[in-house]
Amino acid sequence: MMNQVFCVGRLVQEPTVETTENGKERSRITLAVPRSYKNADGEYDTDFLDCVLWGGVASNTAEYCKKGDLVGIKGRVETNTYETETGDKKKITQILADRVTFLSSAREKNSDNEKSDDDLEM
């Protein structure tokens, strides 16, 4: 059995780093990943995937990436349950990223109109 995921998408918000009670660096990001097929209206839907980054991966991503940047994520899917203040049980599914690859910067794209997403080698 294997739990491994690869996805490419754009950062929905600026990545920030927080320090946990144990002194570990953590970043929570959301990746916008367009689907490869059109819906009934002829448009591409987008999935918004919650990802958790730890340690150097978290700090490097926060330092070098901004909202709108195209990144690749390699990690695993993890599902946890928790109880709300009202006693309801909730489930959360997220990607724990082992690796983040910086593919293109939204700043580069705005400053260099000759580049497009089609120019990226993946």
Side-chain angles (χ1 to χ4, degrees), residues 13-87:
Q13 76 273 353
E14 299 289 325
T16 58
V17 176
E18 59 190 16
T19 304
T20 66
E21 294 174 0
N22 297 337
K24 295 182 180 181
E25 291 182 329
R26 175 181 62 202
S27 181
R28 296 175 192 260
I29 62 171
T30 301
L31 204 60
V33 180
R35 294 183 183 170
S36 61
Y37 56 89
K38 294 181 181 181
N39 63 19
D41 297 326
E43 298 174 355
Y44 291 100
D45 286 328
T46 301
D47 292 305
F48 295 91
L49 307 176
D50 294 325
C51 304
V52 179
L53 320 174
W54 290 97
V57 174
S59 59
N60 285 337
T61 302
E63 182 175 350
Y64 295 108
C65 295
K66 301 291 181 225
K67 177 181 177 180
D69 286 356
L70 186 68
V71 298
I73 300 280
K74 175 192 164 288
R76 61 186 168 86
V77 177
E78 182 175 275
T79 302
N80 292 307
T81 56
Y82 65 95
E83 193 170 312
T84 65
E85 293 175 1
T86 60

Side-chain angles (χ1 to χ4, degrees), residues 75-102:
R76 61 186 168 86
V77 177
E78 182 175 275
T79 302
N80 292 307
T81 56
Y82 65 95
E83 193 170 312
T84 65
E85 293 175 1
T86 60
D88 295 331
K89 292 202 175 203
K90 299 283 183 176
K91 186 179 355 179
I92 184 170
T93 301
Q94 54 195 6
I95 297 171
L96 296 182
D98 299 325
R99 184 175 193 165
V100 176
T101 303
F102 311 148

